[in-house]
Amino acid sequence: MEENNQQKPDKPKGRINMYWIYGMLLVGLIVIQFIPFTHSARLISFEEFESNMLRAGDVEKLVVVNREYVKVYIKPERLSDPKYKEVATTPFNTTNPGPHYRFKILSADGFERKMEAIQSELKQKDPTYQPVQIYPEESMDWGSILSVLIPIVIVVAIWIFIMRRMAGGIGGPGGQIFNFGKSKATLFDKGQRVNVTFADVAGLDEAKAEVMEIVDFLKNPKKYTALGGKIPKGALLIGPPGTGKTLIAKAVAGEAQVPFFSISGSDFVELFVGVGASRVRDLFRQAREKAPCIIFIDEIDAIGRARGRNMFTGGNDERENTLNQLLVEMDGFGTDSGVIILAATNRPDVLDSALLRPGRFDRQIAIDKPDLKGREMIFRVHLKNIKVAPDLDIHRLASQTPGFAGADIANVCNEAALIAARKNKKQVEMSDFQDAIDRVVGGLEKKNKIISEEEKRIVAYHEAGHAICGWFLEYADPLVKVSIVPRGVAALGYAQYLPKEQYLYTREQLYDQMCMALGGRAAEEIVFGKISTGAQNDLERITKMAYAMVAIYGMNERLGNVSFYDPQQEYTFQKPYSEETAKLIDEEVRSLINKAYERTKNLLTEKRESLERLAQALLQKEILFQQDIEELIGKRPYDIKHQAEAAASMPQDRTVDSTNGQPESSDGQPRMEPVDEHQRS
Ligand code: ADP
Ligand code: ZN
């Protein structure tokens, strides 16, 4: 019977795609909708029944079903009659027990009355006539029941599926398809050698010392606990991207020779509710089994962001659950269980304070962008495997890459090798490194990007304007190199400066920086009397800087010493100040920028001759280095004085006031970018 296609699909064995099951359910549903529940009894009319069967005396019994239709059973001995040929046997060639026919009726009462009339008539004709028995029957209507039932079955099936996905981590019978709750951590076990050691990490001596101590905790816990000390549960590596946080964690794994779980914060985050928390649980369960061991969570800010701030984004709940689970797990194991957690982030300011509480990540290891010496050491590490010319000046390379992180330096070394190979050189030379630095800073050189003569002139004066300002403003960054070779997607010219390594900026310094950034546009206005879209990038930076000075660093008299620093974007919808303050901020920002612009124009007008000379030289040579500029317009007036000063006053106490001392975030950052790009839209 067709009802059989109702059968539930088999339980998934191993890798059955869930979509198959959905598909089968769907097909089943459609089949049921389209195939009527055919009864094997043939449908006939009442008249046919009356004349051919009833009056012939062939009927054994009648069953009235649900007062809707009547099933007709033919006497078995009469079935041999040729007129019943069609219904006499089943498809399996046995005698059909019936019902053999059916017909519809309008009402049961009317049917019974009709039957009585016919039967008494028959009785009169033939007194031996045996009246046909009529039985009522209530039967369930499978068709309509199933059409209600099947959607419910489908909904329940989907629901069970999702529940299993969620609960996967706790175990349960599911095969591999239900593995969503398992942690995705990569395990580097004892036997497996991680071939990164501390020797591969250049500089970062303090950080290395700290993590080495952690390795020691794991190896000789007794030594520390004997004196009553508690071993820290975790350490947080904090620093900008590419500074070697992952590298140092890997080195720990290589050195410690204990199992090492590595996972990224974003691996915990899934679309499905509860998955993150169950992954955390699973990770710690595995770790406890393998103790002593190290867990490394990269980009922990993906889950560790402060909780409960954004009222408008509902999606936070899942992340909060994950974070809560992490906190619970960190509290859950004792310090003697031999599991230590390392985590890395470049945004410590957005982390939830509960994570930083003692007893969790109680150690914080700062990893900064490398200074001159650090860069030199990183260069040496990465140059080990590169065939370089013997006269390569590594010190000069380091001094030409201010603001580069370790990852950038690794990139430069690799690029240089590729560039030299393309030129079929036997060894990598200084000029290849120069090109590589340019490429890393400014993108690919566009040899055939066509710019008109007129545009080139504008770019040359624009860049010369920046360069002049940088040269003659005391606190601006001295220029390393200026180029009007188009690079990257949008940059038409670019200049590279040498920012001093410093963490605190005075108002005068920021103001000079602003003027220098305005130099390009001011030069265009002075020389051509018109301005172009080329300054868009500069203006963006200037605006950010001005807002930072007024509203974040409290450097404005009218606003006073207030800061509306908002690292977590809490105030997206509601500003923490009044309308008037907002207006005041806008006013002050505008007047600050206007003042700076006037000053820049005055300076450039005064140095107009140097400006011309630089711009003309640029048009001719396209690239000018510091030395060329010195030859053209003389030595920089402040340089000698400054270098001595900077060396003497390197602030050593920067950890004391780290958040404000190092304006890391994009909105507060006055200048870490050595690049000055000019875009055309
Ligand atoms: P992040 O801090 O973003 O985790 P990584 O550790 O992933 O940075 O560093 C990326 C790459 O940069 C490393 O694989 C390495 O090649 C290079 N690097 C970064 N810092 C250093 C360093 N101090 N010494 C040597 N190489 C480094
Ligand atoms: Zn510019």
Side-chain angles (χ1 to χ4, degrees), residues 486-552:
R487 276 183 184 281
V489 190
L492 287 177
Y494 91 102
Q496 196 188 352
Y497 305 93
L498 185 73
K500 282 181 292 295
E501 320 227 316
Q502 82 180 75
Y503 300 91
L504 295 172
Y505 295 88
T506 63
R507 181 154 59 173
E508 289 67 32
Q509 286 168 332
L510 291 178
Y511 191 49
D512 276 4
Q513 308 261 319
M514 247 165 84
C515 291
M516 187 175 82
L518 280 164
R521 163 149 291 196
E524 285 180 42
E525 197 190 328
I526 291 170
V527 176
F528 302 103
K530 321 180 255 219
I531 50 177
S532 76
T533 52
Q536 182 246 333
N537 208 287
D538 299 330
L539 297 184
E540 239 178 79
R541 270 178 48 212
I542 292 159
T543 313
K544 270 186 195 162
M545 242 150 90
Y547 269 101
M549 281 173 76
V550 173
I552 293 176

Side-chain angles (χ1 to χ4, degrees), residues 362-652:
D362 25 23
R363 294 250 167 142
Q364 296 181 19
I365 303 172
I367 296 184
D368 277 328
K369 283 199 179 171
D371 56 7
L372 185 67
K373 223 176 110 214
R375 287 199 298 273
E376 201 176 320
M377 283 157 81
I378 297 174
F379 262 115
R380 284 186 199 285
V381 166
H382 287 281
L383 289 178
K384 250 188 251 160
N385 300 323
I386 294 180
K387 283 201 187 108
V388 293
D391 61 341
L392 186 77
D393 185 351
I394 296 180
H395 182 78
R396 223 174 103 209
L397 278 181
S399 67
Q400 284 191 0
T401 47
F404 277 42
D408 301 321
I409 293 177
N411 195 3
V412 163
C413 293
N414 192 47
E415 282 290 336
L418 295 182
I419 290 171
R422 193 182 312 145
K423 293 179 185 158
N424 293 322
K425 289 189 187 173
K426 288 268 180 305
Q427 10 172 259
V428 190
E429 287 161 11
M430 192 66 188
S431 64
D432 304 319
F433 280 97
Q434 289 283 355
D435 289 350
I437 291 171
D438 281 353
R439 179 181 277 197
V440 169
V441 174
L444 271 180
E445 187 168 336
K446 291 244 166 69
K447 281 251 159 63
N448 48 7
K449 186 169 183 173
I450 298 164
I451 353 177
S452 67
E453 263 328 286
E454 182 57 25
E455 276 177 327
K456 206 167 163 186
R457 258 168 63 80
I458 294 176
V459 176
Y461 275 97
H462 181 110
E463 294 303 335
H466 285 306
I468 295 286
C469 292
W471 210 253
F472 292 109
L473 290 174
E474 178 164 7
Y475 297 110
D477 302 325
L479 194 99
V480 174
K481 172 178 171 179
V482 49
S483 141
I484 57 167
V485 180
R487 276 183 184 281
V489 190
L492 287 177
Y494 91 102
Q496 196 188 352
Y497 305 93
L498 185 73
K500 282 181 292 295
E501 320 227 316
Q502 82 180 75
Y503 300 91
L504 295 172
Y505 295 88
T506 63
R507 181 154 59 173
E508 289 67 32
Q509 286 168 332
L510 291 178
Y511 191 49
D512 276 4
Q513 308 261 319
M514 247 165 84
C515 291
M516 187 175 82
L518 280 164
R521 163 149 291 196
E524 285 180 42
E525 197 190 328
I526 291 170
V527 176
F528 302 103
K530 321 180 255 219
I531 50 177
S532 76
T533 52
Q536 182 246 333
N537 208 287
D538 299 330
L539 297 184
E540 239 178 79
R541 270 178 48 212
I542 292 159
T543 313
K544 270 186 195 162
M545 242 150 90
Y547 269 101
M549 281 173 76
V550 173
I552 293 176
Y553 299 129
M555 287 179 173
N556 180 282
E557 281 88 9
R558 282 179 68 198
L559 266 121
N561 294 329
V562 288
S563 174
F564 303 110
Y565 187 46
D566 178 20
Q568 285 151 7
Q569 257 102 53
E570 282 170 49
Y571 306 120
T572 331
F573 296 99
Q574 237 182 336
K575 296 285 175 203
Y577 39 74
S578 65
E579 282 295 312
E580 279 109 88
T581 312
K583 246 186 237 156
L584 189 60
I585 290 176
D586 288 343
E587 265 170 38
E588 287 301 302
V589 164
R590 217 155 281 154
S591 92
L592 179 66
I593 295 178
N594 285 344
K595 235 170 59 193
Y597 192 56
E598 282 309 311
R599 177 169 177 240
T600 312
K601 276 204 297 195
N602 290 341
L603 176 76
L604 286 179
T605 320
E606 191 187 310
K607 304 282 181 194
R608 177 71 190 260
E609 202 196 328
S610 308
L611 179 71
E612 290 288 344
R613 227 180 284 159
L614 257 191
Q616 290 306 329
L618 258 181
L619 279 171
Q620 237 175 37
K621 292 202 211 163
E622 297 205 327
I623 298 178
L624 293 180
F625 288 93
Q626 193 175 5
Q627 277 162 337
D628 305 320
I629 300 171
E630 275 179 14
E631 277 163 28
L632 283 166
I633 59 177
K635 267 205 174 319
R636 187 163 186 262
Y638 308 101
D639 256 5
I640 313 124
K641 181 177 145 215
H642 252 294
Q643 256 151 25
E645 225 172 64
S649 69
M650 261 297 275
Q652 291 299 316

Side-chain angles (χ1 to χ4, degrees), residues 290-308:
K290 293 262 181 194
C293 69
I294 295 173
I295 298 177
F296 175 59
I297 307 175
D298 208 350
E299 318 284 351
I300 195 173
D301 41 303
I303 46 169
R305 270 166 196 269
R307 289 165 292 180

Side-chain angles (χ1 to χ4, degrees), residues 12-305:
K13 288 188 196 99
R15 288 171 168 271
I16 287 185
N17 194 323
M18 209 55 202
Y19 291 111
W20 279 105
I21 297 169
Y22 291 151
M24 280 155 78
L25 282 170
L26 196 69
V27 167
L29 185 67
I30 291 169
V31 165
I32 279 157
Q33 297 292 331
F34 281 92
I35 297 181
F37 280 88
T38 49
H39 303 253
S40 50
R42 266 190 61 197
L43 189 64
I44 52 174
S45 68
F46 180 74
E47 285 70 31
E48 219 177 316
F49 160 75
E50 187 194 343
S51 57
N52 288 351
M53 299 163 201
L54 187 61
R55 286 185 191 275
D58 293 346
V59 178
E60 189 186 14
K61 62 171 178 179
L62 295 174
V63 178
V64 181
V65 181
N66 290 348
R67 299 161 175 267
E68 281 171 358
Y69 65 95
V70 180
K71 292 197 277 192
V72 182
Y73 290 79
I74 303 291
K75 289 177 183 156
E77 66 270 19
R78 308 292 310 201
L79 276 174
S80 49
D81 195 296
K83 67 180 170 188
Y84 299 124
K85 211 176 83 199
E86 276 184 29
V87 296
T89 53
T90 62
F92 308 106
N93 244 347
T94 55
T95 11
N96 189 351
H100 302 91
Y101 295 98
R102 66 197 163 99
F103 57 87
K104 298 224 157 164
I105 52 172
L106 289 177
S107 89
D109 292 346
F111 169 68
E112 262 170 43
R113 254 180 273 128
K114 239 195 251 174
M115 280 299 290
E116 238 164 70
I118 297 171
Q119 299 223 65
S120 57
E121 188 198 321
L122 286 173
K123 185 100 184 174
Q124 270 173 4
K125 277 189 196 161
D126 173 11
T128 62
Y129 177 79
Q130 289 289 320
V132 174
Q133 293 298 322
I134 303 174
Y135 307 95
E137 186 183 290
E138 297 289 325
S139 114
M140 284 193 285
D141 179 358
W142 280 102
S144 54
I145 289 176
L146 283 173
S147 61
V148 173
L149 217 61
I150 285 174
I152 295 177
V153 168
I154 290 177
V155 168
V156 169
I158 292 173
W159 182 70
I160 289 176
F161 173 60
I162 291 174
M163 290 300 283
R164 292 233 194 147
R165 276 191 119 168
M166 276 173 49
I170 317 171
Q176 287 102 319
I177 50 166
F178 297 127
N179 260 351
F180 291 89
K182 288 261 171 9
S183 93
K184 288 185 183 169
T186 330
L187 171 67
F188 299 95
D189 221 329
K190 255 184 225 169
Q192 268 170 292
R193 282 221 42 121
V194 182
N195 41 17
V196 178
T197 63
F198 282 139
D200 296 310
V201 186
L204 304 179
D205 291 329
E206 297 138 61
K208 271 197 253 180
E210 289 262 2
V211 290
M212 261 195 269
E213 200 185 17
I214 288 173
V215 173
D216 206 36
F217 285 148
L218 283 179
K219 285 186 171 164
N220 320 302
K222 291 257 157 53
K223 182 169 134 195
Y224 297 91
T225 48
L227 295 176
K230 274 208 192 102
I231 291 172
K233 281 184 185 168
L236 192 61
L237 301 165
I238 300 171
T243 44
K245 298 183 293 294
T246 315
L247 188 72
I248 215 167
K250 272 195 201 141
V252 169
E255 299 275 332
Q257 292 298 307
V258 295
F260 182 84
F261 293 89
S262 171
I263 190 166
S264 163
S266 54
D267 287 343
F268 290 111
V269 185
E270 273 277 348
L271 192 62
F272 294 98
V273 182
V275 171
S278 96
R279 280 187 185 159
V280 171
R281 229 175 291 134
D282 188 58
L283 174 65
F284 278 80
R285 186 183 52 73
Q286 288 184 39
R288 254 178 245 126
E289 280 168 14
K290 293 262 181 194
C293 69
I294 295 173
I295 298 177
F296 175 59
I297 307 175
D298 208 350
E299 318 284 351
I300 195 173
D301 41 303
I303 46 169
R305 270 166 196 269

